[in-house]
Amino acid sequence: YTFSHAITRRPSASIIAGLRAVDTGTPDLAVMQAHHADYIAALRSTGAQVLELDAMEAFPDSVFVEDTALCLPEGAVVMRPGAPSRLGEAAEMAPHLAALYGVVRRIEGADSFIEGGDILTTEREILVGRSDRTNAAGVAELAKLVADWGYTVREVFTPPGVLHFKTDCSLLDGDTILSTKRLADSGCFDGYKVIYVADGEEACANTIRFNDLVIMPAGFPKTRAVLVQAGYKVVEIGNSECAKIDGGMSCLSLRF
Ligand code: CIR
């Protein structure tokens, strides 16, 4: 479907303390700000209205707004991030969603954990990958919250060592998913058309289709060529700094 809105949050100086699985260096705030501006410009170029929230120093990973909520046409669901340092980010997002949306629901169970990066919404279902951040109780609570909106939630699994389900996949159109082989091999996309990222380019699987654009991280020429060949209009955005703290294109916005 088409998107009329996106919510983003400016990176904070505390980004240097962002969570990461492996330390590959300190993110450079100025470079990240430049990449972030390019990302917002790409979203805006499609005609969407893009909200830029202020940086939050208290939350180093708060630039990755996707993890705080799930935005559906019927309403928004505020998540309960499984990373303790990120739990408070969800409450900070709730009032902004309430201002833009009629209906806001919340994951509330003390034992429920779920992050937006583990959720892939397709035209037929909502896939949620269990991960180190998303547990069975979180998936079950989400399923209950969206049932009366007509959505079916299917629990799937994020490969070991991969942060989020969507670290390894993206929805390109109603029926087509860009995926790494290691994720698609689990069978979770059976029945969908799958385009594989090129071997060695797994880090570009976190891409977004936003209106007429496919926005992907820069520096993955083989996968870029496959997408162009398949007819997608591709825009590349620098992701060197977010990549140091395990972030990518989907993490940087909530889209609806
Ligand atoms: C984290 O570990 O939570 C952040 N450093 C990266 C979050 C990336 N978000 C996403 O994939 N949706």
Side-chain angles (χ1 to χ4, degrees):
Y1 44 83
T2 57
F3 300 93
S4 55
H5 290 81
I7 302 177
T8 63
R9 186 180 289 285
R10 296 192 180 102
S12 61
S14 61
I15 195 79
I16 55 171
L19 298 172
R20 67 206 78 176
V22 179
D23 198 356
T24 59
T26 306
D28 180 315
L29 179 62
V31 176
M32 189 184 284
Q33 284 167 331
H35 290 163
H36 199 250
D38 291 344
Y39 178 82
I40 288 169
L43 297 176
R44 286 200 174 123
S45 75
T46 73
Q49 199 178 312
V50 181
L51 186 62
E52 287 180 74
L53 300 176
D54 289 339
M56 287 197 302
E57 293 299 335
F59 295 101
D61 287 295
S62 55
V63 68
F64 302 120
V65 286
E66 170 177 64
D67 294 316
T68 65
L70 173 65
C71 293
L72 296 167
E74 295 80 2
V77 181
V78 179
M79 299 286 117
R80 258 180 70 75
S85 67
R86 303 200 59 193
L87 193 53
E89 289 177 34
E92 296 286 344
M93 185 56 71
H96 302 291
L97 294 168
L100 284 160
Y101 254 115
V103 188
V104 178
R105 297 179 175 179
R106 284 158 210 269
I107 303 285
E108 283 173 336
D111 298 326
S112 300
F113 293 102
I114 180 164
E115 297 192 355
D118 282 316
I119 306 178
L120 183 77
T121 306
T122 76
E123 276 180 3
R124 53 182 110 141
E125 59 186 343
I126 298 177
L127 290 150
V128 188
R130 273 175 51 188
S131 69
D132 285 350
R133 305 289 181 83
T134 294
N135 65 9
V139 181
E141 193 168 337
L142 178 69
K144 276 197 203 120
L145 286 176
V146 300
D148 70 318
W149 290 339
Y151 292 96
T152 304
V153 168
R154 176 155 63 98
E155 182 181 87
V156 287
F157 291 87
T158 302
V162 175
L163 174 61
H164 285 128
F165 186 66
K166 268 190 302 187
T167 303
D168 267 31
C169 68
S170 336
L171 187 74
L172 291 176
D173 58 42
D175 220 32
T176 311
I177 290 167
L178 177 70
S179 179
T180 60
K181 289 200 178 80
R182 68 185 167 202
L183 177 58
D185 280 353
S186 70
C188 61
F189 301 132
D190 288 356
Y192 288 93
K193 189 175 158 208
V194 176
I195 295 180
Y196 292 107
V197 301
D199 286 338
E201 293 192 349
E202 286 72 16
C204 75
N206 183 277
T207 280
I208 54 171
R209 196 274 304 170
F210 191 75
N211 296 329
D212 61 330
L213 299 181
V214 168
I215 302 177
M216 71 179 291
F220 300 93
K222 293 185 206 150
T223 307
R224 183 183 188 284
V226 171
L227 292 170
V228 169
Q229 180 67 34
Y232 295 102
K233 187 172 163 194
V234 176
V235 170
E236 287 179 286
I237 302 291
N239 194 53
S240 57
E241 306 316 296
C242 286
K244 291 175 184 165
I245 46 173
D246 304 336
M249 297 294 113
S250 78
C251 325
L252 294 170
S253 59
L254 285 165
R255 304 163 294 279
F256 52 98

